[in-house]
Structure formats: structure tokens, C-alpha cells
Amino acid sequence: MSNSDGQVLSVDEIHALVVDVLASNGCDAENASAIADTVASAERDGCLSHGLFRVPGYVKSLRCGAVDGKARPTLTRPAPSVLRADVNLGFSPLALAMTRPELIEVARRQGIAALALVRGHHFAALWPETEALAEAGLAAMAFTASRAAVAPAGARRRFFGTNPMAFAFPRGDRPPLVFDQASAAMARGEIQIAARDGHTVPPGMGIDLDGEPTTDPKAILDGAQLPFGGYKGSAIALMVELLAAGLIGEAFGYEAHENANPASGVQQSGELIIAMDPACFGDAAGWLVHTEAFFARLTALDGVRLPADRRRRTREVTLREGVRVAPALFAEIRGLL
Ligand code: NDP
């Protein structure tokens, strides 16, 4: 259905459209489907900055040869609880999907397992990786370092990536608790959307090239974003750099910035995922009852909602009614076929 407000597509139709676009631009079927999973789930959950909006970027990086759309990961095991996936300069979603079963298996066997993903390209939200692990009964954390975009607390120029981290905790028969947040005050995708649509952004999101505060998204994209919460968010960004770059031998934000492909602007990046089996930490019989009592007390407080509640509410609606895609974005994506 189409009208002046846009095209309404089912989540499956979005998936099929993304597969077609990627397949006609150099992805094989497995990579196209894995990327389409992340794009369609972002649209389904109302995370527009990591949905169809990203597809032109995927295509640009394929067309200029910066990313191998047919890559397969190479999995090694440097230590009993540590898996390492070399994405071989492909996109990360297929490597994540292919390595997840072994990560789950090792976490259940050892109690804790980590996956270091290197030499990949990650343009997506992080919650899908932690949510999938929590749905398998594991507590999970994920970190990815990205190209320099954020000024550390006190600095007047970019150095850290927007460096998101996600966390998920299993809740038995209930959907898991999941949060996923950039360490920048605002996701870069949101600032790009504001720039595209000609809106300002709230104060405190960024500074211009001279280091002066601004609400102009274009000036922030040229200058630097700011971390959330001042020096506290800056410390989280610092931690993400060390875990998703220093620890696993991948590029820090400033290195990714300096080494970005000149034609497409894309850069490879690392990701660290940690999975923990609550049954292996000494309270196998009681942890679920204990944590559910915690959630019951927490959600009884006035004004509290759990992270991921908004996403899940949006998901219920979009699965029933479809997703309305803005006409210009729909036309742009169809034009990539
Ligand atoms: P938001 O600030 O929108 O949300 C952060 C988290 O807070 C979400 O889990 C959200 O849950 C939760 N939340 C929001 N409001 C409330 C509330 N009132 N009470 C309780 N919880 C709340 O996300 P960001 O803008 O920081 O992150 C945007 C995305 O960008 C992330 O998905 C991140 O992974 C991605 N990203 C990816 C990068 C990459 O290199 N691949 C780089 C940088 C960012 P809910 O969703 O339910 O609202």
C-alpha cells in the first residue's frame, strides 16, 4: 500500500527487498540474507537509524570494492573460552550468525565464553547479538569500536568512536532484558537523519570544527559528537576502545578513521561479545527466581520501564500492520536494484 506518507511494507517484504538489493550489488545469498535479518529487525523494532537507512551505505561499500560481499569467516580458538572469528573483510552479520552456535555451546560448557570478531564491517545495532544469546538462556555483553567521531571529555576534537555496548539478561519464559546504547550522547545515525531532514539536534550532542557547542547536525558531523554523561560516558567509550580494539587486535577509533576506505568512507572494526551461563556461577537453582523478584520490585516503581520495552511494543505493531517507509528512502533503495 502506498500514499503520500510512504509505502507500507511487511517485515518479510523489507527482508526480501534488502536481499534483492544486496544480491544485485555483489553479495552472495548467505551474506545478503544475514544483513537483511539485521535491517529488517531494526525496521521491525523502530530502530530507523540502523534499518533501511543503512542500505545505501552497504551498497556503496560493495560497489567500490571496500567490502567482500561473499566473504566467509575463519573461526579459531586461541584459548578454551575464547573464540576468534576473522570476518575476512566481509560484513559482520553472517560471521555473527555462523559463530553463534559455537559461542553458546562453549559458554554452556565453560560457564563463560568470549567471541572476538576482527576484520569485519559492522553497520548495525548491537542488540540483536545480545538478545539472541539471552534467548538461549545466557547473559551477554557486546562492544564494538567504530571510527573516531566523539570528543573525549575535556577535548575539542574527535578521538573515540561512538562505541556502543549492549547487555542482555535471560528471564526464563519472559523476553530477555536488553539494552543497547552508544557512548555518544546521540547515535550518529540520528544526527545524519537530522542533517538529511534539515532539523537541529538538542544542545549537548556535539561541537563544531572549532570545538564550539552547536545544534547544527552538519557542523557536528564535521566536528565531533559528545559522550553521554560527560566524563562518565567518556570512560565507557574508553573501555569499549580497549575491549573491542586493544584487547582483540583491532583498530582503535582514530586508527579506523585514518585507515577508512577513501572511496566509501567505510572502515573495518572489531567486536567483542561475552556470554555467561547463569547456571554456572554458583546459584543454579535460585538465580532466576532471585532476578525475577528484582525485576518485579524494579518495575513496580512509578515511572520505570525496562529497556527494550519500546522496541517490543513497536515490534507487535509492525508485525501486525507493517512498516511505513518514507517515500524518498523507498525510492532510493529501489533505485539500487
Ligand atoms: P538510545 O539512547 O535510543 O537507547 C539506549 C537504550 O536505552 C535502549 O536499550 C533503550 O531501549 C533504552 N531506553 C531508552 N529510554 C529509556 C527509558 N526511558 N527507560 C529505560 N530504558 C530506556 O540508543 P543510542 O542512540 O545510544 O544507540 C543507538 C543504536 O546505535 C544502538 O543500537 C547501537 O548499537 C547503534 N550503534 C552502532 C554502531 C556500530 O558501529 N555498529 C555505532 C554506534 C551506535 P528501547 O530501545 O526499548 O527504547
Side-chain angles (χ1 to χ4, degrees):
M1 186 182 77
S2 171
N3 62 27
S4 59
D5 291 335
Q7 183 84 19
V8 175
L9 300 179
S10 71
V11 175
D12 287 345
E13 287 170 332
I14 290 174
H15 192 280
L17 174 63
V18 176
V19 166
D20 286 349
V21 166
L22 295 172
S24 58
N25 283 281
C27 265
D28 62 18
E30 290 83 357
N31 274 286
S33 180
I35 295 166
D37 287 347
T38 72
V39 171
S41 61
E43 289 288 339
R44 178 200 67 197
D45 284 16
C47 303
L48 301 189
S49 61
H50 290 82
L52 289 167
F53 173 68
R54 294 281 158 183
V55 172
Y58 283 108
V59 169
K60 189 175 174 191
S61 55
L62 285 164
R63 285 184 178 174
C64 74
V67 183
D68 178 0
K70 299 181 170 65
R72 288 288 177 282
T74 310
L75 189 63
T76 52
R77 186 99 169 260
S81 285
V82 181
L83 308 176
R84 184 174 172 88
D86 184 335
V87 185
N88 287 319
L89 302 181
F91 294 110
S92 297
L94 181 62
L96 285 161
M98 289 178 70
T99 53
R100 185 174 300 127
E102 189 157 349
L103 179 65
I104 292 171
E105 199 267 314
V106 175
R108 287 187 180 144
R109 190 152 25 91
Q110 311 269 20
I112 185 165
L115 170 65
L117 229 87
V118 296
R119 300 204 320 133
H121 296 84
H122 197 299
F123 300 171
L126 278 189
W127 56 261
E129 24 265 50
T130 57
E131 187 167 79
L133 292 169
E135 282 168 354
L138 304 171
M141 306 178 82
F143 311 88
T144 186
S146 55
R147 180 179 177 169
V150 173
R156 289 164 68 85
R157 44 186 280 215
R158 59 175 73 188
F159 183 75
F160 295 144
T162 46
N163 292 1
M165 63 172 288
F167 172 77
F169 200 88
R171 299 194 59 194
D173 294 338
R174 292 167 188 263
L177 177 281
V178 186
F179 77 70
D180 175 17
Q181 58 190 38
S183 46
M186 185 179 237
R188 194 163 186 81
E190 301 287 350
I191 296 180
Q192 289 167 332
I193 288 173
R196 181 195 68 188
D197 296 346
H199 302 144
T200 56
V201 298
M205 301 298 122
I207 52 180
D208 64 18
L209 270 175
D210 298 322
E212 297 301 326
T214 178
T215 57
D216 174 355
K218 288 191 175 127
I220 294 172
L221 293 172
D222 290 340
Q225 294 172 247
L226 291 173
F228 75 85
Y231 65 86
K232 296 185 184 184
S234 191
I236 300 290
L238 170 67
M239 176 187 74
V240 173
E241 295 272 345
L242 292 171
L243 291 177
L247 184 81
I248 66 173
E250 250 298 348
F252 289 111
Y254 77 92
E255 293 171 325
H257 187 67
E258 288 162 8
N259 301 335
N261 179 285
S264 68
V266 298
Q267 77 287 339
Q268 67 182 63
S269 59
E271 179 173 4
L272 179 73
I273 301 176
I274 302 171
M276 294 159 275
D277 185 347
C280 297
F281 283 76
D283 189 15
W287 70 268
L288 184 57
V289 171
H290 192 197
T291 53
E292 284 307 306
F294 162 81
F295 282 121
R297 293 281 283 265
L298 174 63
T299 52
L301 298 174
D302 273 349
V304 167
R305 69 118 161 137
L306 294 178
D309 283 356
R310 175 203 61 84
R311 277 198 303 106
R312 293 213 180 88
R313 274 200 308 276
T314 305
R315 185 182 301 183
E316 280 169 23
V317 175
T318 56
L319 287 175
R320 205 173 50 237
E321 298 175 8
V323 175
R324 189 173 294 280
V325 181
L329 180 60
F330 185 65
E332 183 182 6
I333 290 173
R334 297 267 320 158
L336 298 170
L337 281 167

